[in-house]
Amino acid sequence: ELKVEQNPLFLSMQEGKNYTIYCNYSTTSDRLYWYRQDPGKSLESLFVLLSNGAVKQEGRLMASLDTKARLSTLHITAAVHDLSATYFCAVDTRYGGATNKLIFGTGTLLAVQP
Amino acid sequence: NAGVTQTPKFQVLKTGQSMTLQCAQDMNHNSMYWYRQDPGMGLRLIYYSASEGTTDKGEVPNGYNVSRLNKREFSLRLESAAPSQTSVYFCASSLIPYNEQFFGPGTRLTVL
């Protein structure tokens, strides 16, 4: 059974600081997704990582994928309050198949303090 | 282009009542999904539909049924609601082969 673990589950950080959220998964997969969810809102797609070594950047967020280590990271640079949200990673369980089934991590609640 | 829409936004049911959650997408996507989200947990897949005319069980299908009405619409039915089904329900869709899933706004369901 595929398991997806994120850590930390909660992260309180100061504005201007850097930090990394980790996403570990337990079986082979070459596709990983990062989503953002604001309180009471839906999920917004941030990054799609489709191969080993993939790196994507958008603003202060950068995501990477190491399929050999079964690890993805979401790095936050010089955090600002607007980045406060819950971040989920999701792993594709049927790579190359008819459709994808995503298994989500439990999420990391990020609170950026002034 | 509305993306993925869901109705209703909120619903309160009594134990044993039935209801159908509606989902529609206008992105010409092939695959559609129903998830539930509970506090402190990620999203769990209830059912999915790879293409029009097909449906398959996800991680937590018990107590639910689905219908892929056409390419645009995918409904989720609770035949006899239970308090354990209190949750936020999200519908999503994706275009194969890119597989990035786009989510609707969610339905907050409370079963008393």
Side-chain angles (χ1 to χ4, degrees), chain A residues 1 31 33 35 37 39-48 50 88 92 94 96-107, chain B residues 31 33 35 37 40-45 48-50 56-59 90 94 96-106 108:
Chain A
E1 178 187 344
R31 295 183 184 181
Y33 307 81
Y35 288 88
Q37 186 179 36
K41 303 294 186 181
S42 186
L43 279 77
E44 172 190 358
S45 178
L46 291 175
F47 299 109
V48 179
L50 297 179
F88 292 96
D92 192 334
R94 196 176 294 187
T99 191
N100 65 321
K101 293 169 63 176
L102 297 185
I103 303 296
F104 281 78
T106 51
Chain B
S31 300
Y33 312 83
Y35 293 90
Q37 184 178 33
M41 302 182 73
L43 276 72
R44 291 182 292 168
L45 183 65
Y48 67 100
S49 171
D56 282 292
K57 295 178 180 179
E59 296 175 79
F90 288 100
S94 69
I96 301 299
Y98 299 105
N99 291 343
E100 181 181 9
Q101 293 187 13
F102 295 87
F103 285 80
R108 296 181 181 276

